[in-house]
Amino acid sequence: MERLSAGVASRPVAAARAAFGRRAAAELLYAVASLPLAVLGFGYAAATLVLGLGLAVTAAGIPLLAVGLLGARWFGGLYRRLAGRLLGERVRPPAPHRPGSGFYGRVQAVLGDAAGRRAMAYLLLRLPLALLHLYVVLFTWGWGVVALTYPLQRAFGLNDVTTRDERGVLRHGFVIGGLHLDTWPRALLVSVAGAALLFLAPRAVHAVVLLDRMLIRRLLGGSSAAERIRTLEETRARAVDDAAATLRRIERDLHDGAQARLVALTMQLTLLRETAPEGPVRDLAATAQATAREAVAELRELVRGIHPPVLDSGLDPALASLTARAGLPVELRADIPVRPTAAIESIAYFCAAELLTNVIKHSGAARAEIEVVQREDRLRLRVRDDGSGGAVVGAGSGLPGLAERIRPVDGLLEVDSPAGGPTVITVDLPSHA
Amino acid sequence: MRIVIADDAVILREGLAQLLAVRGHEVVAGVGDAAALREAVAAHRPDVAVIDVRMPPTHTDEGLRAAIDLRRDHPGVGILLFSQYVETRFAADLLAGSSAGVGYLLKERVADLDDFVDALRRVAAGGTALDPEVVTELLGSRRQGVDALTPREREVLALMAEGRANAAIAKTLVVSDRAVEKHIANIFTKLGLAPSGDGHRRVLAVLRYLRS
């Protein structure tokens, strides 16, 4: 019973706290404090837009617009921080702007930056919204306080408004809708109305601030799903390129470091064999040399599996060397007018290697064909053999691994392998990751 | 022999020079890039230039391109490409046109100094020296014709393709010179090649066949 009454009692208290507590104070402060920033932001946005568009026919216009958008992003950051500090509105900031390369690349990157454009829109919308904030604050809080304290004002003779009514009599007090509030009961009525206004004030401010919160989330927040996907695609492409570059660097380091030293060691051991007298030392040098040569050969095979050096000269020579080592006659047709990125070349090369291994291990083919064609933004690799067919993705065929390899670049794998052959496997890749 | 070495790794340049000195050959210049190589060859007119495939600035195939230029500008200078990798495509580029006086070997082949110096001599004398790895790849890609050969004939074909003379082949396989001659005649018949005169011309015929 006691608990129940406590519960009943606490509900209005909580409501009052919500209405007049810290949140209401913060929202009021926000509504007032953001006004100067709104004026400044609007002025900035309007100035850059008018100047930028006005000068658009000259060379200066578009870069000016770009600078304006960058500044809008910065203003957006200020608003986000203000809303975060006062309203506790935590909005994920948009992904940092990625500058393009070169002057026009930079300008283009800024103009294409949706976050900058949205921030600009916010700056423009924010001024009318700030005026609405101001109006609501003045109307509710301002008039509320004035009306509530009206009887006091009367008592102390403050705010004394003197008007003449329709009969020509001087009246002292406010007039609302022709009603002269100059008697005590009427003054008390005004006071009650003031209390009602003050009761409504936090709610009204909350409502207009809510409008701003929505705008902030829409226009200053992190990207929409589509933008997020684009960001993911870009970062994924960069990750793919970085991985390829790293492998290439490892290959270079090995070539210039460990491999070169091992070859030098082989030479020094040759020298030892040449100059040492016949006997155990010379024999030991020969054994050591054999070991060093094995290490050189193993390292070479390892590096071929990481990044075959000939790939630096292009996909065509790399595939020529690959087919030459295949151990069965492979006809290679390559038509690559524009070199794909290093990562795509690498993926295409290892796909071809995997498919050739499949041909040799599973198909029983006597010969194979590799065709690589680059057209527009696609690179198509097609491996054909005259073997027994029946290749499927799975069952130790190596095709699942291949599918995994091309997935990060949205590659497509097509397997056409009827029982009895022939098998045609097509890998379709973008020219750029 | 008078030799120019082009390799950007000083340790390999010096190691090779030391080894060649042991056999009484003179390294007249050691350089680290393709431009210096062209100057050194023009200045010294060596018997052979030993050239690393990968050199600055791009570390891809500068050595190969310099070698092709040198063959055009200084046909009398033997060219031995020297690399940590042998790539069939590079061999094909090098052999394009005439195969006289060119070689392509893995760096670690210096482990057998006799063999290596022999290869240098052949190249200097206008012959060829192809790495066994390249030859294996060339034979692998021509399976149909080569399948008709006996294992011994295939061995002889491989050694021929490496650029070795009949006597060297006979010594390697421990057979008589006449037996080698007979094998070579059989190979030419089975591959449908026209019989051609002396040793080196036959090597070229074999290489042409394997590359076609």
Side-chain angles (χ1 to χ4, degrees):
Chain A
M1 189 64 204
E2 222 177 58
R3 273 220 315 257
L4 186 67
S5 67
V8 169
S10 75
R11 218 171 289 152
V13 170
R17 229 181 247 150
F20 300 101
R22 191 177 284 168
R23 190 189 76 183
E27 284 179 345
L28 179 61
L29 183 62
Y30 175 79
V32 175
S34 59
L35 180 68
L37 190 60
V39 173
L40 212 63
F42 181 86
Y44 170 82
T48 53
L49 278 180
V50 167
L51 267 179
L53 292 176
L55 293 174
V57 284
T58 70
I62 301 298
L64 198 69
L65 268 183
V67 172
L69 285 174
L70 276 183
R73 243 178 184 269
W74 180 79
F75 264 106
L78 279 187
Y79 275 114
R80 247 192 339 267
R81 277 197 291 281
L82 188 66
R85 186 68 57 83
L86 292 178
L87 305 178
E89 183 71 44
R90 303 268 173 254
V91 178
R92 192 161 46 86
H97 175 62
R98 274 187 296 277
S101 55
F103 179 71
Y104 285 102
R106 270 167 215 272
V107 168
Q108 211 166 18
V110 175
L111 293 180
D113 175 30
R117 292 197 304 262
R118 285 187 289 138
M120 186 67 97
Y122 180 80
L123 293 188
L124 293 176
L125 288 174
R126 193 57 177 75
L127 185 64
L129 189 64
L131 294 176
L132 180 66
H133 281 173
L134 186 67
Y135 178 76
V136 167
V137 166
L138 288 180
F139 186 82
T140 57
W141 285 106
W143 277 114
V145 169
V146 170
L148 183 71
T149 55
Y150 185 59
L152 279 179
Q153 293 164 33
R154 258 179 75 83
F156 290 105
L158 295 165
N159 244 338
D160 190 12
V161 183
T162 308
T163 47
R164 203 176 282 274
D165 67 9
E166 60 272 20
R167 284 169 294 168
V169 181
L170 281 178
R171 308 283 289 257
H172 296 274
F174 288 2
V175 189
I176 294 175
L179 186 63
H180 291 267
L181 307 170
D182 55 353
T183 63
W184 280 108
R186 286 182 179 179
L188 274 176
L189 203 65
V190 171
S191 189
V192 169
L197 260 184
L198 283 181
F199 178 76
L200 285 175
R203 287 166 175 75
V205 172
H206 181 68
V208 286
V209 167
L210 194 67
L211 202 62
D212 189 37
R213 282 178 195 261
M214 273 157 53
L215 271 185
I216 288 177
R217 277 178 225 148
R218 283 296 280 265
L219 297 177
L220 299 183
S223 41
S224 64
E227 235 183 284
R228 181 99 187 109
I229 288 172
R230 211 174 62 202
T231 309
L232 285 175
E233 278 176 348
E234 280 172 14
T235 49
R236 185 179 64 163
R238 194 170 302 180
V240 167
D241 285 340
D242 282 353
T246 303
L247 290 181
R248 189 174 182 215
R249 206 181 55 241
I250 291 173
E251 189 277 322
R252 288 249 164 111
D253 290 349
L254 280 174
H255 179 272
D256 297 339
Q259 282 177 300
R261 268 172 235 286
L262 273 174
V263 171
L265 176 65
T266 311
M267 287 180 181
Q268 286 152 5
L269 288 169
T270 308
L271 193 63
L272 185 59
R273 280 174 62 191
E274 288 290 316
T275 49
E278 216 166 315
V281 171
R282 199 194 274 191
D283 294 346
L284 195 57
T287 314
Q289 197 177 40
T291 310
R293 287 184 69 176
E294 276 170 32
V296 169
E298 273 174 28
L299 208 48
R300 183 162 46 235
E301 280 316 302
L302 176 76
V303 168
R304 274 214 174 106
I306 296 175
H307 174 90
V310 64
L311 207 47
D312 290 346
S313 302
L315 191 53
D316 186 3
L319 288 177
S321 285
L322 178 73
T323 52
R325 275 197 306 277
L328 88 164
V330 183
E331 191 182 326
L332 172 66
R333 277 196 306 276
D335 180 10
I336 309 170
V338 181
R339 271 187 81 163
T341 56
I344 295 297
E345 284 187 335
S346 173
I347 291 172
Y349 174 87
F350 283 111
C351 283
E354 183 70 51
L355 291 172
L356 263 190
T357 307
N358 272 357
V359 170
I360 293 158
K361 267 190 2 204
H362 304 297
S363 77
R367 53 191 310 109
E369 278 173 37
I370 295 185
E371 186 189 74
V372 200
V373 178
Q374 186 262 321
R375 284 286 174 275
E376 281 158 22
D377 268 352
R378 305 301 293 183
L379 182 76
R380 199 190 60 206
L381 167 75
R382 184 166 281 170
V383 177
R384 200 188 309 255
D385 70 65
D386 61 355
S388 53
V392 285
V393 180
S397 66
L399 289 177
L402 192 144
E404 280 301 305
R405 201 184 271 282
I406 64 175
R407 252 179 68 179
V409 294
D410 294 330
L412 301 169
L413 172 68
E414 195 186 302
V415 179
D416 176 19
S417 183
T423 298
V424 180
I425 295 181
T426 309
V427 176
D428 189 60
L429 299 169
S431 281
H432 308 274
Chain B
M1 282 182 286
R2 298 171 67 249
I3 299 161
V4 167
I5 301 176
D7 194 318
D8 58 323
V10 178
I11 187 172
L12 295 181
R13 226 155 60 200
E14 288 180 350
L16 187 58
Q18 259 180 312
L19 274 179
L20 291 169
V22 168
R23 290 297 171 93
H25 301 292
E26 187 195 355
V27 173
V28 291
V31 295
D33 62 65
L37 167 67
R38 290 190 183 98
E39 281 173 26
V41 168
H44 296 284
R45 299 233 148 230
D47 299 306
V48 191
V50 178
I51 305 168
D52 183 19
V53 172
R54 285 168 76 167
M55 282 192 289
T58 69
H59 295 273
T60 52
D61 55 3
E62 282 80 2
L64 171 71
R65 280 183 273 127
I68 291 169
D69 288 354
L70 286 179
R71 274 174 58 64
R72 191 190 53 224
D73 300 340
H74 306 277
V77 177
I79 302 289
L80 182 75
L81 268 194
F82 198 48
S83 177
Q84 289 180 25
Y85 297 86
V86 287
E87 304 293 353
T88 305
R89 171 56 70 91
F90 291 171
D93 287 352
L94 186 69
L95 293 170
S98 156
S99 314
V102 293
Y104 186 19
L105 290 181
L106 278 174
K107 284 185 179 173
E108 71 225 45
R109 301 291 175 207
V110 292
D112 189 338
L113 195 56
D114 291 331
D115 222 35
F116 181 70
V117 170
D118 183 53
L120 272 183
R121 271 213 192 87
R122 290 205 305 273
V123 170
T128 47
L130 272 194
D131 198 273
E133 253 198 40
V134 177
V135 171
T136 309
E137 291 178 5
L138 287 175
L139 293 182
S141 58
R142 293 296 309 230
R143 200 193 244 175
Q144 273 172 330
V146 176
D147 272 349
L149 304 181
T150 66
R152 184 35 68 93
E153 284 164 358
R154 233 172 289 165
E155 283 176 323
V156 173
L157 177 65
L159 289 169
M160 271 183 89
E162 284 176 29
R164 292 169 198 275
N166 290 7
I169 296 174
K171 204 174 142 207
T172 308
L173 299 178
V174 204
V175 294
S176 69
D177 283 10
R178 282 202 49 197
V180 171
E181 279 292 336
K182 227 183 87 193
H183 286 311
I184 292 176
N186 285 343
I187 291 167
F188 270 63
T189 310
K190 286 184 181 173
L191 298 184
L193 298 174
S196 46
D198 71 315
H200 188 60
R201 292 249 289 281
R202 292 194 299 207
V203 170
L204 296 187
V206 165
L207 282 179
R208 258 201 307 278
Y209 169 77
L210 290 177
R211 280 163 44 214
S212 65

